[in-house]
Amino acid sequence: MYQPGKIAYKVPILPMRYARHFSRFMESQGINPAAFLEGSLITKDRLLDSDGFLSMAEILSVLNKAQKLLDDELAPFKFGQSLDIIKHGLLGHSLLCQHDIKQLLHTNIAYLRVCLPLMGIQFHQNGSQFSIQLEDSWDLGDLRTFIVKMYLGSIYALTSLICRNFSFTFDFPTTLSNEEWQKILRNAPVQFGAEKNLVSMRISDPNQSKAQDDDNIADHLAIATSKQTLELESTINVLVKVRQQITNNPGRDGTLERVAQQLGMCARSVRRHLKMAGFSFQDIRNEVRETFATRYLIDTSLPLEKIAERLGYSDQASFTKAYRGWTGKTPGIVRRSSITNV
């Protein structure tokens, strides 16, 4: 087992995309990425490096901060469940190789062992019965339980499409009731305080015809692409509605919280959809305000303080500063130019 302080903890081992997945998961839990990145060894800019890798020291620094911020014993398992075949990049391979389910199961777990080398994985098979056991490879300290849950959650997500009759054992205790765990384990038996961290399962019937294989491939592709399309359509729909709400109320009612309330959403969800579309709420609001301000300046004789009030600014000076930032000109110059050109 690798020990803290050793050079192995500084070797880049984990693709940066997993850090981005984790960042999005934390946002879904209501935690701003800046909150758990602060004081860690990872900067927000590094998350955008598609070719980057993280060292074990960096991984532990982020997870340690995240564990303190998350107030949910199930959260790491839920994050693991979010790492399905699509997140791991295994959708194509899984669909094309589903004619040999046993080999597919071996390959997917082997992929997990290589791409997420935070724990060792032992794979055992007895006929159609399989078990996957986790083993310590690193000294994880207080994060060991967190990472075990994360791993077993992902293994569950990777195998649930082709296996059934799951059961789980954990070598640590829990403060939650069995009913709370069953909600995310779909009534699979679970035992705590056992000797091993292990998930057992039975493989589904592997005797499928080629025609059935093709139907299954088409079905899974349709589901996967539909989810992506629906998510994109939902995001675009939110973007349009946000712009419309701000246009209807460009003043003090045009805040993120107020717009989210009008859409029947939480502010965090609105922000996430806009981010996926490549926009920020403030950018959209400023764009709408600039358009309104320019029309007021050119087409009306409203005093500047009234325009500022209509657009939600506390005073004329704040409005003037904002308008200069948008256009490079002061409201007074724009208004005088419009009068000169009449």
Side-chain angles (χ1 to χ4, degrees), residues 189-229:
V190 58
Q191 178 185 358
F192 289 90
E195 294 182 358
K196 303 174 181 178
N197 293 301
L198 179 145
V199 55
S200 299
M201 66 207 77
R202 184 175 294 277
I203 200 166
S204 300
D205 183 9
N207 299 318
Q208 305 175 47
S209 68
K210 183 63 171 64
Q212 287 175 320
D213 285 344
D214 288 343
D215 287 343
N216 287 337
I217 290 175
D219 184 46
H220 282 298
L221 281 174
I223 291 172
T225 54
S226 293
K227 285 182 178 179
Q228 294 172 349
T229 300

Side-chain angles (χ1 to χ4, degrees), residues 121-185:
I121 301 178
Q122 293 298 322
F123 196 96
H124 304 282
Q125 175 185 351
N126 183 11
S128 61
Q129 188 70 32
F130 289 81
S131 65
I132 301 169
Q133 180 180 335
L134 300 183
E135 296 185 345
D136 295 327
S137 300
W138 305 81
D139 185 351
L140 302 175
D142 294 338
L143 285 170
R144 181 177 180 274
T145 297
F146 188 100
I147 293 176
V148 166
K149 292 176 186 177
M150 184 179 72
Y151 257 77
L152 289 182
S154 186
I155 290 173
Y156 188 32
L158 285 174
T159 58
S160 59
L161 291 177
I162 55 178
C163 294
R164 53 191 173 84
N165 297 345
F166 287 87
S167 65
F168 293 82
T169 65
F170 297 94
D171 68 359
F172 48 81
T174 180
T175 62
L176 302 179
S177 67
N178 186 64
E179 289 72 20
E180 289 175 290
W181 276 97
Q182 294 307 313
K183 290 178 182 179
I184 63 172
L185 295 179

Side-chain angles (χ1 to χ4, degrees), residues 20-60:
R20 289 195 293 273
H21 291 324
F22 187 68
S23 177
R24 285 192 284 270
F25 173 79
M26 292 293 283
E27 282 191 281
S28 74
Q29 303 300 299
I31 299 174
N32 190 300
F36 69 90
L37 290 178
E38 183 182 1
S40 75
L41 301 177
I42 304 176
T43 63
K44 194 170 183 179
D45 289 342
R46 285 192 60 202
L47 288 178
L48 304 177
D49 182 4
S50 59
D51 296 322
F53 279 78
L54 297 173
S55 70
M56 194 62 182
E58 293 170 328
I59 295 166
L60 295 181

Side-chain angles (χ1 to χ4, degrees), residues 65-96:
K65 187 68 175 292
Q67 181 175 235
K68 295 176 180 177
L69 293 171
L70 288 168
D71 186 25
D72 182 1
E73 189 177 325
L74 299 176
F77 195 93
K78 292 175 182 177
F79 170 62
Q81 284 182 299
S82 74
L83 296 178
D84 54 15
I85 58 174
I86 296 177
K87 294 286 180 62
H88 283 296
L90 291 170
L91 176 63
H93 172 265
S94 296
L95 296 180
L96 294 175

Side-chain angles (χ1 to χ4, degrees), residues 165-308:
N165 297 345
F166 287 87
S167 65
F168 293 82
T169 65
F170 297 94
D171 68 359
F172 48 81
T174 180
T175 62
L176 302 179
S177 67
N178 186 64
E179 289 72 20
E180 289 175 290
W181 276 97
Q182 294 307 313
K183 290 178 182 179
I184 63 172
L185 295 179
R186 300 174 190 172
N187 297 318
V190 58
Q191 178 185 358
F192 289 90
E195 294 182 358
K196 303 174 181 178
N197 293 301
L198 179 145
V199 55
S200 299
M201 66 207 77
R202 184 175 294 277
I203 200 166
S204 300
D205 183 9
N207 299 318
Q208 305 175 47
S209 68
K210 183 63 171 64
Q212 287 175 320
D213 285 344
D214 288 343
D215 287 343
N216 287 337
I217 290 175
D219 184 46
H220 282 298
L221 281 174
I223 291 172
T225 54
S226 293
K227 285 182 178 179
Q228 294 172 349
T229 300
L230 286 173
E231 188 171 80
L232 177 60
E233 289 177 350
S234 176
T235 293
I236 293 175
N237 189 38
V238 170
L239 173 62
V240 171
K241 288 184 177 180
V242 166
R243 192 183 296 275
Q244 182 179 359
Q245 285 294 326
I246 297 175
T247 300
N248 292 339
N249 299 283
R252 293 181 181 178
D253 282 340
T255 63
L256 174 60
E257 291 72 20
R258 182 60 177 167
V259 169
Q261 183 181 13
Q262 292 295 323
L263 298 181
M265 302 172 65
C266 67
R268 184 178 70 250
S269 182
V270 170
R271 190 183 294 111
R272 181 177 65 83
H273 278 288
L274 294 180
K275 183 178 180 180
M276 289 173 61
F279 292 85
S280 74
F281 181 85
Q282 193 60 43
D283 287 342
I284 297 173
R285 190 182 188 192
N286 285 342
E287 178 188 335
V288 173
R289 281 172 151 183
E290 179 188 344
T291 299
F292 269 80
T294 300
R295 295 328 309 172
Y296 282 137
L297 292 170
I298 294 176
D299 298 336
T300 77
S301 58
L302 274 175
L304 297 186
E305 61 268 21
K306 287 293 184 182
I307 297 177

